[in-house]
Amino acid sequence: MAVARPCVGAHVSTAGGLVHAVDRAVDIGAHCVQIFVSAPQQWRQTQHKDADVAAFREGLASRGLAPVFIHAVYLLNLASPNEELRRRSVEVLLSHLRVADQIGAAGVIFHPGSHTGSGDEAGEQAIVNSLRFAMRQHDGPAGLLLETTAGSKGIIGGTFEQLARLIERLGGGARLQVCLDTAHVFEAGYDCITADGVNRMLTRFDETVGLSRLTCVHANDSKTPFASHVDRHANIGEGHIGRAGFWHLLHDPTIAARPLVLEVPGFTGEGPDRPNVDLLRAIAAAPSPEVAQGLPLLVTGDDA
Ligand SMILES: [Zn+2]
Ligand SMILES: [Zn+2]
């Protein structure tokens, strides 16, 4: 089976300034990058100095790192029944979109939101209103990527139908895209660990959202079992998707053609690392799931 070598990358820290994310990405062998542009647990937005932005862009270009995505802060909740929270969420999203344009990011990835008890319909309506407003205020090139979720209680985005409905209600513009998280879809109840399962999942995605909107894939194993609706990421091969599951995912030409971004705990607990990046690439290059199972894991560090 001839499958192109996928673009494998990771979420990396910007501690100390945006430009430091370039070195961290290079250190672990990432080819595409996801970053936070402000502290993920805070509303306060970091002001990035022009020199830092310029150095970051220069670093990306010289190291050939692309694409770049921004992941929105965790506090963001466009579905909240609380108007003040929603207002702040839209403001932060707009701030992220402006930074995305500044740094040349392909888009901002965000979780659609949690209705926190107001119900799916109210939650979806709140998201539509929030995004409609944001899209009127922002007309730059950065995409808005709704991320698939594990579909936990109150969390919007656990089914492709729901994401498709949001996109449709927003007019279906090309800026509205989707990031498929392998752990989340597995936890939400989409079998993606066999050839048939991956095929069925992507056919369903195509019939609802449409594959042309699939801009990014988060490559994470799942600590929780199939259809658990509990969002917990695991290192590649250490979760319920497993190496064979990733072999099937990576040998689907649709998945293999998308940027794959790791958001895993890391084999030494310090976030996405080289062993995860290398293993994902090796699984993609393996001729069979059996070979993928037997690949060595090259964990560096004494505590590994
Ligand atoms: Zn996410
Ligand atoms: Zn994710």
Side-chain angles (χ1 to χ4, degrees), residues 34 71-72 74 109-111 147-148 179 181 184 218 231 233 263:
Q34 176 178 284
H71 194 295
Y74 293 135
I109 298 172
F110 57 97
H111 301 187
E147 182 170 348
T148 60
C179 171
D181 188 307
H184 297 172
H218 281 168
D231 174 3
H233 297 185
E263 300 174 308

Side-chain angles (χ1 to χ4, degrees), residues 61-123:
S62 66
R63 299 303 199 133
L65 299 175
V68 175
F69 296 98
I70 292 173
H71 194 295
V73 296
Y74 293 135
L75 296 173
L76 185 124
N77 184 4
L78 303 172
S80 173
N82 179 320
E83 202 174 320
E84 173 61 13
L85 245 157
R86 234 169 35 235
R87 189 189 60 75
R88 294 180 97 164
S89 298
V90 172
E91 262 175 34
V92 165
L93 180 63
L94 281 166
S95 165
H96 288 347
L97 285 163
R98 283 189 291 267
V99 177
D101 290 340
Q102 253 185 317
I103 65 175
V108 176
I109 298 172
F110 57 97
H111 301 187
S114 168
H115 65 61
T116 64
S118 65
D120 274 2
E121 175 46 36

